Amino acid sequence: MANGNQQSAESATKNGINALEQAFSGITNIRKDVEATRYNLAAGYKGSDGGKFGELVNSWEQQADVILVNLRDMVDKLNQTLASQHQQQGSSNDQINQMYNQATAVFNTLHG
């Protein structure tokens, strides 16, 4: 991969990680707000409607947990991709340096 493409891919990966982390943080904050609202309403919400509200919030929290786990997994995979990109770039640089050294040695031998 060319150096410009490598930097572009790295930038895109970092942007993806940042976006996913912001989404994770946003969902976590909303989840806290929903929990606080549920606890505030629990005292006055004693009837069947309160029970249904509690079930709804529990269901929503379970779905939010699934989303959070998936976001965490996606961030981990993107971080692995970023590490792989760095390894690939390091490997490419090593290969270029080796080829340069070989070319220099051949030139020096030919030049005398």
Side-chain angles (χ1 to χ4, degrees):
M1 189 178 294
N3 190 28
N5 290 339
Q6 182 72 31
Q7 290 174 346
S8 176
E10 181 178 336
S11 176
T13 303
K14 287 180 180 179
N15 288 342
I17 291 169
N18 187 37
L20 292 171
E21 287 175 341
Q22 287 178 359
F24 186 94
S25 177
I27 292 170
T28 300
N29 288 336
I30 291 169
R31 192 167 193 265
K32 289 177 186 176
D33 291 344
V34 169
E35 287 176 11
T37 301
R38 175 177 46 176
Y39 291 127
N40 289 338
L41 292 176
Y45 236 11
K46 299 286 185 191
S48 62
D49 54 348
K52 290 294 182 185
F53 174 76
E55 290 174 17
L56 175 65
V57 171
N58 286 336
S59 175
W60 182 87
E61 286 178 334
Q62 290 171 357
Q63 292 173 12
D65 287 342
V66 169
I67 292 169
L68 291 173
V69 166
N70 289 331
L71 285 171
R72 213 174 297 128
D73 287 347
M74 290 167 50
V75 168
D76 289 344
K77 287 178 183 171
L78 285 176
N79 278 320
Q80 290 170 3
T81 298
L82 196 58
S84 176
Q85 288 170 340
H86 287 147
Q87 290 172 350
Q88 181 181 8
Q89 185 172 9
S91 176
S92 295
N93 288 340
D94 289 344
Q95 289 174 349
I96 291 168
N97 288 334
Q98 288 174 3
M99 296 305 285
Y100 175 80
N101 290 335
Q102 287 177 356
T104 301
V106 168
F107 177 76
N108 288 339
T109 300
L110 292 174
H111 191 265

